[in-house]
Amino acid sequence: MSHYNHLTIFEREKLFLMFNQGHSIRTIAAAVDRSPSTISRELKRNFKKGTYSPIIAQTLYSYRKQNCGR
């Protein structure tokens, strides 16, 4: 059983809003009660064409989870 909690679409939306308002990664992490490294990885993994989209990030997450081999 996994002890990881994946980001929800609501957390991704909040990340998107706060990131576009210019908040730091640490501030965003505190607001969504996640580690700053989680936020950093999420942005790095899903920052496409100069922007972060929570809907695209959620879609990519679903696709990756479906094809992870578990």
Side-chain angles (χ1 to χ4, degrees):
M1 211 185 247
S2 178
H3 62 277
Y4 298 107
N5 293 319
H6 298 271
L7 290 172
T8 65
I9 187 65
F10 303 110
E11 291 171 324
R12 287 186 168 98
E13 288 283 344
K14 188 161 191 156
L15 187 158
F16 168 74
L17 292 173
M18 292 183 76
F19 183 73
N20 284 336
Q21 292 173 352
H23 293 279
S24 71
I25 289 176
R26 289 188 179 276
T27 305
I28 297 169
V32 294
D33 196 30
R34 297 290 183 150
S35 167
S37 62
T38 300
I39 302 304
S40 177
R41 280 193 306 267
E42 175 69 12
L43 288 171
K44 183 179 176 184
R45 184 180 295 129
N46 295 306
F47 201 82
K48 306 290 184 199
K49 298 182 182 179
T51 188
Y52 175 82
S53 171
I55 294 172
I56 292 173
Q58 186 71 24
T59 303
L60 290 172
Y61 157 72
S62 297
Y63 176 76
R64 289 179 190 125
K65 185 174 180 180
Q66 181 181 7
N67 294 317
C68 74
R70 288 189 178 223

